[in-house]
Each structure stands twice: as structure tokens, then as C-alpha cells.
Amino acid sequence: MNFGWQLLWRQKKAVAGLIIVTALCLMALFAPILAPTDPGERVGRSHQPPTVEHYFGTTKMGRDVYAQFVWGARPSLAVGFATGLFITALGTIIGLVAGYFGGRTDATLDLITNAVLVIPNIPLLILLASFAGTVGPVAIMLIIALTSWPWGARMTRSQTMALRNREFVTAARMVGEPAWRIIFVEILPNLVPLIGINIVGSIIYAIVAQTTLEYLGFGDPLNVTWGTMLYNAQNSSAIIVGAWWDISAPAAGIALVGLGLALLNFTFDEIANPQLRSGPALSRWLRLSRLRKRELEAAR
Amino acid sequence: MVTGRTLSARVGTLLLTLWLVSILVFFAGQVLPGDVGRVMLGPFADAQAVAELNKRLGADQPVLVQYGRWFSNVLTGDFGTSLSMRAPVAPFVLESLKRSAALAGIILVFLVPLGVGAGVIAGLNAGRFIDRLIVMAGVSFGIVPDFVSGLMLLIVFGLWLNWFPISGVAPDGAGFWTNGYYLILPALPLVLNLAGYIARMTRAGVIEAMAADYTRTAVLKGLERREIIFRHVLRNALTPTIAVLATQTGYMLGGLVVIEALFGIQGLGNLVLNAAKARDFPMLEAGVLVMAAIFVLSAAAGDVVLALLDPRQRRRASS
């Protein structure tokens, strides 16, 4: 454990990512202290540029963009994190079952995985969201999770297939352990690095997908989130009147969260996959070649 | 005929997936609440009128019967009648497909040189400052959702600098170049978004090829650096990139929905979006199905090109 922390600490990228994500989470957590005003309250004139009173300016409805930004972080992050965990759980279970049982179970699950994988995600999200009608955060969460588990399922499946015939699994089977115990107690712990990558990637995806849906107008416009902030800004023609602050604040929030999580994932990737750290091979060969030439000349 | 057999197997799975997608698309509309007659007549219509309309449209029949009829119609190119336009769906889909294809074309024109070029530079300088810069830039741009970068680009280049129009639609009768000029700003968010990923794949390919034994041999037998890079490294490094480019088309289609909405381009993405908002099921189903078909076809095309370029893939697929 200690070693793992040291490894994480040495990675500057991971530390930077961790700081960004933690700061945003703290901001969401302490929203009542940081922005005591109600984000839905009209506090000023329409489309006021940033001032000392309203750090991020006001929206068309005269609402404080700063308060909306701080409060909007709450649902955006909460739904993103919850959905990311849900996607990972779904993908991991399906991948484990398909990979462990093989045969017809695997063939069926693999076919479904591929079918869900080939439908471009956003159109499918729109399709489901439109049929579900005006959707709350839980419905958005379910829709995103149901359309985006295949990536994780594929990775987990191939890893499980590699582990299935290892000695310790065979031994457990010989002893007579039930299948669920073999899957969750013997195989699952070996997949922890993979699951970590999967969780972070899924959270990024979930946040992006959720804000995209809300931006396109499938969320509840009265619910203050970063996505609906963008939707409302776009609908109140913020671009045409030049109210850049109305758009920049939520956009920066989404970009920052994504950047922080991506930095974290980068490091997870490198820990799980040392090949990514490879140095410049060609220059090594060229150096070798120069050395050899020099030695040959010296010998002559 | 090794490639012949691979090709026919490929076509088989392709048709099977398309069929599965059609089921998924159709049943997604049936399982979830949303009554066709109710949608057309509005929330205040008489319940009997709704039931009558459902009967006339065949929406009161069992789901399987409906699917059978819809699917056999789709096979003959008949995607049904739009509920909101009261006209056949197919011409709308075709027209919007053309606009989306123009945008996709512009995206590729920028994306391929940028992504591959950056990836090759990063790969050849792996571990150095320029490599880290390219990788970090790629990740940063890749993580920003396309509508966010699209909005920012609109503000900076459309509003402040006034370099580009803030709409993606050129005035009627505009020439080829003007049309292209209007599409540059809409294309940029997706180019930025995808270039990082393609650069990363290219970089990995270049690094792998440079560490390979044949490159070492080429160096040690005294070939020139330029010759090594162009004849030995790049030829081997770029095959995976081609496959990645093909599969990214699907991602691009998803991104087009948002970009088209942002810039007001009436393409396939906007068609799906508007159909979803108007609950125009036949239009929506046709749009999503066409998108899925393009995605599956481009992935398959990527596989075929890969098999043509890399003999190892051919052998693996046929065994």
C-alpha cells in the first residue's frame, strides 16, 4: 500500500489530476458556504458581464452565473460518478460471466455486446431519452449506463478468459467451489487495475454524455447543472449577444473535471501497462551504431 | 482465395449485426412508453380518436407483426412515413446524409494529416519534450466534449476575431469553396477531439516499429536515417492507424449530432435530434439505423483494408 502511494506521488500528472478532481468535489460539497445565494434567484440585470458583485456575471434571466456554477457542480458530478460506477459494475459482471462460462453463454453475451457497441452512442442515447420523455437524473443515469457498458465488458472478458485456465482457478474448481465464488473471490481480485481504469474512464464518459444530453435539451431545464446551464445559455442566444461568461463557466467546469480524471487515468494506465513508459528506441539503436563505428575505426 | 473467404465471413457478421441493430432500434421504441397515436394527436385528444389512429397506422397490432412489416419495408428501401412531415422518410434521410457527408469530409481533410503527422513526430521523438507536449495536448483536447470546444471556438473565432461565420450553413447558391469555408469552424471541434487519439495510436505504432528487430538490422547495416524511417518504420507503423481511423467514424457520427445542433446544419444528426424531440418514430428509427449502418460498414472497410495491407491479419482471420 505504502509503495503504491509513493508510486502515485512520484507521478506529477496523477497529483495534478487528483488536486483538480478533489477541488471540484469540495466545491460541490461546500456549495452552501461558497455560494450562499439561491442559484435560481434573480439578482441583477440581464446578461451583466463579470463584476465584483457577480464574479462570473449574470445570465439572461439575471441569475448569478457563479452561484449556478457552484451549485451545478453537485448534480453534474454526483450523476457522473454514480453512473461511472454503475457502468463499470455492469460491464465487469457481464465480462466476467461471458469470459468464465464461455460456450453458448459467451457467444450470446458477445453478440449483444457487439450489437450495443456498433450503435453510435449519442444517437442511441437520444433515441432512448426521447422515448422516456422528460427525464430526471436517474433516468439519464440508467440510459447512459445501459448504452455504454460494452467497452468494459470486452476488456474484462478477455482478461477473464486469460485467467480461467490458470492453476489457482482449476484448483478452486477441483475443490468444488461454486461458480459465483470462483468468479468473485478467485478471479475478480486479479482484475482490480483493469477495473480502476474502467471506473475513471466511465466517469469521464458519463459526465460528458450527461452534459451532452442536457445540452441537447433532454434534461430538466429547471434543474441547475452544468449541462442545463449550457442549454439555457444557448437558448437565450448568449453567443449572439456576446455573453461569453454565461457559456465559459460551465464549459470550463466540464473541461476541468475531464482533464483531472484523464490525468489520473493516464497514470493508472502506466502502472498497469509498463510498455507505455518505453523510451526512445531508435536513438538507442543509433547510439549503438555510432559506438560500433567508433570501435571499428579504433580497431583499424 | 483466402481474402475471398475472409470477405464473405465479414459480410455475414456485418449483416447479422445490422439486423440486431434494427431489432434494438425498433424495440427500444416499443418497450418504452410513447403511444404513436397520442403523439400525433397531442395530449388533449379524444381517447377514441387515438385508438382509431393507432388502428389505422397498425400500431395496435402485436409488436412482432409490426416489426416484421417495418423490417420488410426497410429492406425494400421504404422507411415509412414521417409523423411530423406527413411525407416519406427516405428523401429526408438522403438529403441530410449529403450535408453530413460534406461535414465529415472536411473533418477528415484536417484530421488525417494533423493526427498522423503529430503521432509520427511524437513517436520519432518519444520521451522528449515535443513528444510529451503532443501527447498532453492530444489528451487535453480529447477530453473536452466537442460541444464545449465548439462553443469556445465559436466565441473566440466567430465572435471576437470574426474570422469565421457563426453559422455552419452557407447562403443559397454559394460555391464549393464558400460552402467549405462555412464548414471549417463546425469541423474543428471534432478534429481536435479525435486528432489526439489518432496521434496516440500512430505514436504507439511508430514506437513499436522502431523497437523492432528489423529496424535495428536496418540501422546496423548502415542505412540512412531518412530511409529507415520512411521505408521500414512508417510502413509498418501506419497500418493500425488506418483501422483506428475507420472505427472512429462511428464516434464522429455521434459527435455530428451535437455539432450540427450547435451550428444549425440540417444533417443526419439534426434529423435524429429533431425527430426525437417531435417523437417522430419512423424518422428517428431510420436516422439511427442509417448511422449504425455507416458505422458498421466503415469498421468492416477498415478490417478489409487492414487485411490487404498486413498479410498476418489475413492468415489470422482465415485460420
Side-chain angles (χ1 to χ4, degrees), chain B residues 102-169:
Chain B
L103 181 54
I106 299 271
I107 291 174
L108 285 176
V109 164
F110 285 103
L111 177 62
V112 175
L114 187 67
V116 175
V120 169
I121 292 173
L124 290 177
N125 296 293
R128 299 217 187 98
F129 175 72
I130 179 112
D131 169 44
R132 269 185 240 143
L133 191 74
I134 288 173
V135 171
M136 278 314 294
V139 170
S140 316
F141 284 124
I143 225 63
V144 180
D146 23 37
F147 65 93
V148 172
S149 53
L151 283 166
M152 296 331 278
L153 287 168
L154 254 180
I155 290 175
V156 175
F157 293 106
L159 210 65
W160 290 350
L161 297 175
N162 239 326
W163 286 0
F164 294 99
I166 58 173
S167 150
V169 188

Side-chain angles (χ1 to χ4, degrees), chain B residues 29-46:
Chain B
Q30 301 297 324
V31 174
L32 291 161
D35 188 335
V36 178
R38 179 58 73 192
V39 170
M40 285 183 77
L41 294 176
F44 304 114
D46 186 34

Side-chain angles (χ1 to χ4, degrees), chain A:
Chain A
M1 203 58 215
N2 212 352
F3 174 72
W5 279 118
Q6 271 180 1
L7 199 66
L8 206 67
W9 191 245
R10 241 185 295 146
Q11 304 277 347
K12 288 190 204 88
K13 279 180 235 157
V15 176
L18 209 60
I19 290 173
I20 294 174
V21 175
T22 317
L24 285 171
C25 287
L26 286 177
M27 184 186 86
L29 207 62
F30 293 111
I33 300 169
L34 289 171
T37 48
D38 177 8
E41 199 187 331
R42 301 185 72 142
V43 292
R45 280 179 293 115
S46 170
H47 278 325
Q48 248 177 304
T51 54
V52 186
E53 282 157 56
H54 308 294
Y55 310 120
F56 293 173
T58 59
T59 68
K60 174 149 197 228
M61 305 295 290
R63 296 184 175 123
D64 187 35
V65 177
Y66 169 72
Q68 292 213 324
F69 174 75
V70 173
W71 284 91
R74 284 191 154 190
S76 291
L77 292 178
V79 172
F81 277 80
T83 315
L85 288 176
F86 193 31
I87 295 172
T88 313
L90 211 58
T92 306
I93 290 173
I94 291 174
L96 275 171
V97 169
Y100 180 74
F101 288 107
R104 202 172 291 166
T105 320
D106 179 35
T108 315
L109 286 176
D110 201 36
L111 199 65
I112 297 174
T113 310
N114 282 333
V116 179
L117 202 61
V118 296
I119 305 188
N121 257 325
I122 300 290
L124 185 61
L125 280 175
I126 291 172
L127 182 82
L128 290 175
S130 72
F131 287 129
T134 328
V135 285
V138 178
I140 284 192
M141 202 177 120
L142 273 175
I143 291 170
I144 294 172
L146 285 177
T147 51
S148 46
W149 52 267
W151 271 113
R154 267 203 160 173
M155 291 200 298
T156 314
R157 172 176 170 265
S158 61
Q159 281 287 76
T160 311
M161 277 170 37
L163 287 168
R164 183 175 57 182
N165 295 322
R166 294 274 289 276
E167 286 89 348
F168 65 94
V169 178
T170 319
R173 212 177 295 137
M174 297 278 196
V175 173
E177 282 186 20
W180 65 265
R181 210 194 120 83
I182 298 178
I183 291 178
F184 289 107
V185 180
E186 306 289 350
I187 295 181
L188 190 64
N190 290 294
L191 298 177
V192 167
L194 187 70
I195 293 173
I197 295 172
N198 200 349
I199 286 181
V200 181
S202 299
I203 293 175
I204 298 176
Y205 176 79
I207 290 177
V208 171
Q210 171 211 359
T211 40
T212 306
L213 273 185
E214 285 166 350
Y215 167 70
L216 290 174
F218 289 102
D220 179 0
L222 296 178
N223 200 357
V224 176
T225 71
W226 288 344
T228 53
M229 280 174 79
L230 284 173
Y231 172 71
N232 287 330
Q234 165 100 347
N235 271 13
S236 59
S237 48
I239 291 182
I240 294 161
V241 300
W244 52 269
W245 54 89
D246 200 359
I247 289 168
S248 309
I254 296 162
L256 266 180
V257 150
L259 183 67
L261 288 168
L263 286 169
L264 271 180
N265 222 17
F266 228 42
T267 312
F268 277 147
D269 246 0
E270 281 178 5
I271 292 173
N273 194 354
Q275 269 186 331
L276 291 175
R277 273 177 277 169
S278 70
L282 186 64
S283 57
R284 195 162 68 231
W285 301 136
L286 283 170
R287 205 183 314 126
L288 263 179
S289 155
R290 262 199 310 275
L291 264 175
R292 180 168 151 275
K293 237 183 251 166
R294 213 172 299 147
E295 268 171 29
L296 280 176
E297 271 164 23
R300 217 182 292 142

